[in-house]
Amino acid sequence: MTSKRQKISSEKAARKDRAAEIANTFEWLTTAFILALLFRAFVMEAYRIPTGSMANTLKGAHFRLRCLQCGYEYDYGLGNYRLPRDTIPHGYLKPMSSRCPSCGHYQATGGMMPVSNGDRILVLKCIYQFFEPKQWDVVVFKNPLDPTINYIKRLVGRPGETVEIIDGDIYIDGQISRKPTNVQNELWMPVYDNDYRPVRPREGLFNGHSWEQPFRNLADSEWEINEANPTEFRLDSPADQINTMIYDTSIGNDFRATYAYDDVRGYSHMPYCSDLMARFYANAPNPQGLIGIEMRKYQVGYKAWVDSTGEMVIAEVSNGRESILDSKPIEPPAAGKHFLVKFANIDHQLSFQFGSEILTYDLGRNPDDAGPRITDIQPQVKIFGSGKLVLSHIAIFRDIHYTESKFGNSGETGRATEDNPLKLGRDEFFVLGDNSPNSEDGRWWSEPGKGNNGVSYRQGIVPRDYLVGKALFVYWPSGFRLFAKLPFGIIPNVGQMRFIHGGSNQKQ
């Protein structure tokens, strides 16, 4: 009898323990759920990029393309299909005609291709309740015209500042605003990369003609393509004989502010971008002579070179006269060693790099400090040198270029231009998309922002109350579906996981 009672008591205890376990589990799940909701509401939340207004920094639904001629990889946005904003296309579609951003090959519409979904990002919420937003942050905010929709853009103007877009650059209170290094490195866009060469150059689809090497010798210069490796240029000349080759825009891609991500039909309307960077690796078997790069912005040329004595020099060429702007001594180049050579004219600042040595020169922050602004003059890039040299990995890039008019050089002019500066008031911010020709941002908002209880906000601005947070990390880059019925892209482009760079505390 006692044994039976003990058994019943034991079963009751076991049932109580199971009930307690279930209650504890339920309590833990409830607590975890509440914490997750709190974390999502106040700390961090995941978002999907719906459009291509921030390409190539952040991409909406797009195709991953590879040039059929040179093999260069680039992305082409589905926004060119004029699909509704929140439409997520399923499975496969046929890309429209696109252009390779390196060799200039117009890739005709081919077969069906898988669609890559927009980048999925983590957004740090409530950060702006504790810290002031920095210029160049990538911010998520409620669209002032429809606060039920979140937008993502780059913040360029803050309360109390006067913002102007002048020839593609951002000016704050009349002074050019320079981008932090990490932001600038994200925004360089290819013009030409000599490592990618077409396999069928005689086809006439390269900017309307057959492909030729866009670098050509000037006058009696003697640069030659290495027949064994046509991506290299060789020079064998006397140390006192300067040889120059120029990038010919009548053959290769020009310097217009075009985006491979966008519809090619708008390319001819884009303005020239004169903020450029050229780079290559140089090897001097016998380091006698010099090597350098020259760029022209408006009507002024800027040259940078290093010679066999180890002197780095930046000079200006205006009206046929050359004047030294700055120089510094470095260790002379070592024979047979490859050195990175890079020269950039960006945001009114010249930056020359040779190996690990860097020489910079500030042209000034006023709009005309880089020379008279004649924006319809095509920029130029030249490479010059003397002695025995081998150049490899030659490439040219351009900066992001914020357009002042719709469709590039045509269409209406937006706000925050030189002729229509925007003065921001208290708690007012101004934002732009990195894909400037294809971004519906503060330049174009044509109605006052909508607030609660009949409150309205000034056209073109984002009120502080509408800032959601700062874009922090791309955790699921541009996935695509294996099967059309899956709800999202299950194969991420893992190599593109990255932090999203924004403003800096350092003065630029």
Side-chain angles (χ1 to χ4, degrees):
M1 192 71 174
T2 302
S3 174
K4 187 175 180 180
R5 289 175 179 170
Q6 288 176 342
K7 184 177 179 181
I8 294 173
S9 177
S10 175
E11 289 176 350
K12 287 182 177 179
R15 284 197 295 270
K16 287 182 179 179
D17 288 342
R18 284 196 295 272
E21 289 176 2
I22 293 172
N24 287 337
T25 301
F26 182 75
E27 182 180 357
W28 179 86
L29 289 174
T30 302
T31 302
F33 181 70
I34 293 172
L35 288 175
L37 288 179
L38 291 173
F39 185 84
R40 183 177 184 269
F42 297 107
V43 182
M44 192 173 293
E45 186 173 353
Y47 289 85
R48 180 183 62 84
I49 303 299
T51 71
S53 67
M54 283 293 292
N56 284 323
T57 307
L58 298 170
K59 289 167 279 232
H62 65 278
F63 295 104
R64 298 179 198 164
L65 302 181
R66 182 187 293 273
C67 178
L68 298 177
Q69 282 281 354
C70 73
Y72 195 92
E73 293 183 348
Y74 60 100
D75 299 315
Y76 183 80
L78 251 68
N80 302 305
Y81 285 79
R82 303 290 185 251
L83 297 173
R85 173 184 171 85
D86 291 324
T87 298
I88 304 176
H90 292 268
Y92 289 71
L93 285 176
K94 183 180 290 186
M96 297 180 182
S97 178
S98 62
R99 189 188 76 169
C100 174
S102 178
C103 75
H105 178 250
Y106 279 81
Q107 194 156 298
T109 301
M112 304 292 281
M113 293 189 64
V115 174
S116 296
N117 290 338
D119 290 332
R120 292 177 178 271
I121 65 171
L122 295 176
V123 175
L124 192 59
K125 303 177 76 172
C126 294
I127 184 174
Y128 295 136
Q129 294 187 18
F130 303 98
F131 302 97
E132 276 295 301
K134 298 186 180 72
Q135 188 190 32
W136 308 114
D137 278 357
V138 177
V139 298
V140 173
F141 58 95
K142 296 182 182 298
N143 174 16
L145 305 186
D146 183 357
T148 64
I149 298 175
N150 288 327
Y151 270 19
I152 183 167
K153 308 288 181 189
R154 196 174 293 276
L155 191 152
V156 299
R158 295 169 295 177
E161 297 177 338
T162 298
V163 185
E164 296 171 278
I165 304 170
I166 302 176
D167 192 26
D169 294 321
I170 300 299
Y171 285 75
I172 301 296
D173 299 332
Q175 303 283 292
I176 197 167
S177 183
R178 292 173 179 146
K179 298 176 280 295
T181 301
N182 286 336
V183 173
Q184 183 61 67
N185 289 339
E186 282 186 340
L187 298 180
W188 287 119
M189 304 194 71
V191 175
Y192 175 66
D193 191 328
N194 196 52
D195 287 350
Y196 295 85
R197 299 172 63 84
V199 293
R200 297 181 302 279
R202 303 317 302 167
E203 289 187 2
L205 296 175
F206 300 91
N207 293 310
H209 51 72
S210 340
W211 187 87
E212 300 176 44
Q213 170 56 246
F215 277 101
R216 59 178 177 82
N217 280 307
L218 292 181
D220 297 325
S221 296
E222 299 175 357
W223 290 98
E224 295 181 353
I225 293 177
N226 180 4
E227 295 299 331
N229 183 359
T231 64
E232 291 183 346
F233 281 90
R234 291 181 178 270
L235 180 66
D236 189 354
S237 76
D240 60 350
Q241 178 183 321
I242 303 298
N243 296 262
T244 303
M245 55 180 174
I246 186 173
Y247 177 79
D248 190 340
T249 55
S250 68
I251 299 173
N253 292 337
D254 60 22
F255 296 112
R256 293 188 184 277
T258 58
Y259 290 71
Y261 199 90
D262 295 344
D263 192 333
V264 298
R265 291 173 295 181
Y267 282 9
S268 61
H269 301 299
M270 294 298 110
Y272 290 126
C273 177
S274 56
D275 279 7
L276 307 175
M277 185 258 284
R279 64 108 167 108
F280 53 81
Y281 284 84
N283 180 2
N286 181 12
Q288 298 296 320
L290 56 82
I291 181 65
I293 301 171
E294 180 177 352
M295 294 179 180
R296 184 180 71 186
K297 182 180 178 75
Y298 309 139
Q299 291 182 305
V300 181
Y302 298 101
K303 302 174 69 173
W305 70 86
V306 62
D307 59 28
S308 56
T309 67
E311 185 80 5
M312 291 180 73
V313 181
I314 294 179
E316 177 183 289
V317 182
S318 182
N319 297 321
R321 299 177 61 182
E322 182 176 296
S323 55
I324 304 297
L325 299 177
D326 201 358
S327 65
K328 78 170 185 178
I330 61 172
E331 284 291 323
K337 184 177 179 181
H338 287 82
F339 290 91
L340 172 65
V341 182
K342 184 165 64 175
F343 185 40
N345 183 351
I346 182 74
D347 296 337
H348 290 196
Q349 190 172 55
L350 306 175
S351 177
F352 179 40
Q353 180 174 355
F354 184 80
S356 60
E357 298 286 346
I358 297 177
L359 177 64
T360 61
Y361 183 81
D362 191 335
L363 294 171
R365 291 178 175 262
N366 296 314
D368 294 319
D369 284 346
R373 280 178 287 133
I374 307 176
T375 56
D376 57 351
I377 295 180
Q378 178 109 235
Q380 283 184 351
V381 173
K382 299 176 183 177
I383 296 174
F384 60 93
S386 64
K388 292 186 177 182
L389 293 166
V390 180
L391 307 187
S392 59
H393 305 300
I394 302 171
I396 301 172
F397 302 87
R398 69 163 181 85
D399 187 21
I400 188 174
H401 189 95
Y402 292 108
T403 51
E404 301 167 44
S405 302
K406 275 198 171 180
F407 315 114
N409 279 333
S410 61
E412 64 181 291
T413 300
R415 60 177 55 85
T417 64
E418 188 172 20
D419 296 327
N420 184 25
L422 178 64
K423 173 70 174 179
L424 295 169
R426 181 180 179 182
D427 295 329
E428 292 184 341
F429 298 87
F430 187 66
V431 296
L432 296 172
D434 285 356
N435 186 351
S436 189
N438 197 15
S439 174
E440 188 65 27
D441 51 41
R443 294 167 299 173
W444 311 117
W445 295 336
S446 57
E447 299 176 7
K450 299 175 182 177
N452 294 323
N453 302 318
V455 173
S456 63
Y457 298 105
R458 196 155 60 106
Q459 291 181 15
I461 64 98
V462 176
R464 184 183 295 273
D465 291 347
Y466 280 12
L467 292 177
V468 174
K470 177 181 178 180
L472 183 67
F473 187 74
V474 181
Y475 74 93
W476 198 277
S478 307
F480 61 88
R481 298 177 178 87
L482 282 177
F483 306 103
K485 292 185 179 180
L486 290 175
F488 59 87
I490 65 170
I491 301 180
N493 188 2
V494 177
Q496 290 297 311
M497 290 182 179
R498 62 198 182 275
F499 284 98
I500 302 166
H501 296 292
S504 170
N505 288 321
Q506 297 178 354
K507 183 176 175 60
Q508 301 299 318

